[in-house]
Amino acid sequence: MSEHKSTTELLHAVLAVIPDGEKVAELFAEDGALELPYLHSFGMETRYQGHDAIAAFYVGLTKLYPDFAFKPEDTTVIIETHERVAAEYVAHTKSAATGRRVHLLFQAVLVAENSKIKLLREAVNVLASAQAIFPGGAKDLPDPEAEIHSYKPA
């Protein structure tokens, strides 16, 4: 029988084990999901549902940022209820591709159900990510199309 965890305790638990995909996935409900809507700007998937997909996402993340991690002192809880927590946290990491240091601020909402993560929805500045990952920074992004969505349209 699992111990009851508050939403803030779940948030701190998941941040402590990122980027270990297997350990992260264990904190999610079987049908839980990780969403990063602004990854659409890179042409990436924006939703990872289920343990296998969530674990695989973090395997990919470590290829981009081998030392990716969060520290408790870089986490600020903004709002907490029984089922949700809204927070900001920062990853201080280095791009594998360029060696550039980047300090990525995430804003997130975590939704819990039965002491498991049902949804972790994060927003991060993708421009800062591009500046870190691509040798030419943002200028290495594909040319824009006539209509631009910062999220995956329905």
Side-chain angles (χ1 to χ4, degrees), residues 66-141:
D67 65 343
F68 194 92
F70 296 104
K71 296 179 182 174
E73 62 267 24
D74 293 327
T75 302
T76 303
V77 171
I78 299 167
I79 299 169
E80 179 185 19
T81 70
H82 179 68
E83 296 175 343
R84 299 172 193 269
V85 63
E88 293 182 339
Y89 35 89
V90 179
H92 306 280
T93 188
K94 186 186 285 190
S95 166
T98 65
R100 293 184 189 124
R101 295 285 304 158
V102 61
H103 309 277
L104 297 170
L105 172 66
F106 288 76
Q107 296 89 33
V109 173
L110 180 149
V111 178
E113 184 177 276
N114 299 320
S115 295
K116 291 286 188 176
I117 300 169
K118 188 72 172 174
L119 173 66
L120 177 57
R121 184 176 175 97
E122 297 178 322
V124 65
N125 181 340
V126 293
L127 181 57
S129 296
Q131 295 288 68
I133 294 169
F134 299 124
K139 69 183 179 195
D140 285 353
L141 289 171

Side-chain angles (χ1 to χ4, degrees), residues 2 8-9 13 23 28-30 32-33 39 53 57 70 91 104 127 139 142-143 154:
S2 70
T8 296
E9 288 170 332
K23 288 181 180 177
F28 279 75
E30 287 294 325
L39 291 185
F57 171 81
F70 296 104
L104 297 170
L127 181 57
K139 69 183 179 195
D143 288 337

